[in-house]
Amino acid sequence: MKKVQQGFTLIELMIVVAIIGILAAIAIPAYQDYTKRAHVSEGLTLAGGAKAGLAEFYASNGKWPSATNSNASVGLPASIISIRGNAVTSVQVDQSRIIITYNQRVDTSNNTIWVDAKASTVSGSVTFTCSGGTVLAKYRPSTCRP
């Protein structure tokens, strides 16, 4: 009589488990980097109000705020820790620079990204660039990498 196959052999099952293990070893670190990049993006979104306030201040006064903690000058809460998020500790305006400070969800605590404002003397427009700070380049959006 012909023997009918009853199921998978132990070797076949071990091969499947090994393949799943290899895929998991690749996917988990990639997912962790993805979540850290999402947290960094959250900080840049929270800085949107500071960007608008800083551009408006420059348009009205023709200069940048002079105080070190200029949040109140640009219409934000005076306390820098008032602007917070899941991964963001504070958003602070420092003359023409916005400093976003992150907690331990982005690599280590107190990592920062700087968003610098530059005004065009010809058109009067204000542009923002982010390239400074201590957040690793692999966690930054492509527009914020040095």
Side-chain angles (χ1 to χ4, degrees):
M1 280 198 225
K2 201 173 194 185
K3 186 176 180 182
V4 179
Q5 187 175 4
Q6 297 289 323
F8 298 107
T9 65
L10 181 61
I11 295 295
E12 291 170 333
L13 292 174
M14 289 174 61
I15 290 171
V16 169
V17 169
I19 291 171
I20 291 172
I22 291 169
L23 292 174
I26 294 169
I28 290 173
Y31 179 72
Q32 289 173 337
D33 285 352
Y34 168 77
T35 57
K36 289 181 182 185
R37 283 193 299 272
H39 289 309
V40 170
S41 295
E42 174 198 19
L44 294 171
T45 302
L46 287 174
K51 285 181 180 179
L54 197 57
E56 184 178 338
F57 184 92
Y58 187 84
S60 298
N61 300 308
K63 62 180 182 170
W64 302 114
S66 58
T68 301
N69 182 7
S70 308
N71 283 20
S73 301
V74 298
L76 298 174
S79 172
I80 63 171
I81 60 171
S82 296
I83 304 172
R84 303 178 65 102
N86 285 332
V88 177
T89 305
S90 66
V91 175
Q92 175 185 3
V93 175
D94 184 9
Q95 297 176 345
S96 66
R97 175 174 285 169
I98 300 167
I99 302 169
I100 307 162
T101 307
Y102 296 95
N103 62 21
Q104 72 279 359
R105 291 187 184 199
V106 178
D107 204 17
T108 60
S109 289
N110 298 322
N111 275 337
T112 60
I113 283 186
W114 303 336
V115 179
D116 291 319
K118 293 182 183 173
S120 170
T121 55
V122 176
S123 65
S125 65
V126 176
T127 57
F128 294 92
T129 57
C130 61
S131 59
T134 58
V135 172
L136 297 176
K138 68 180 183 176
Y139 300 137
R140 295 170 178 260
S142 59
T143 56
C144 291
R145 292 184 183 145

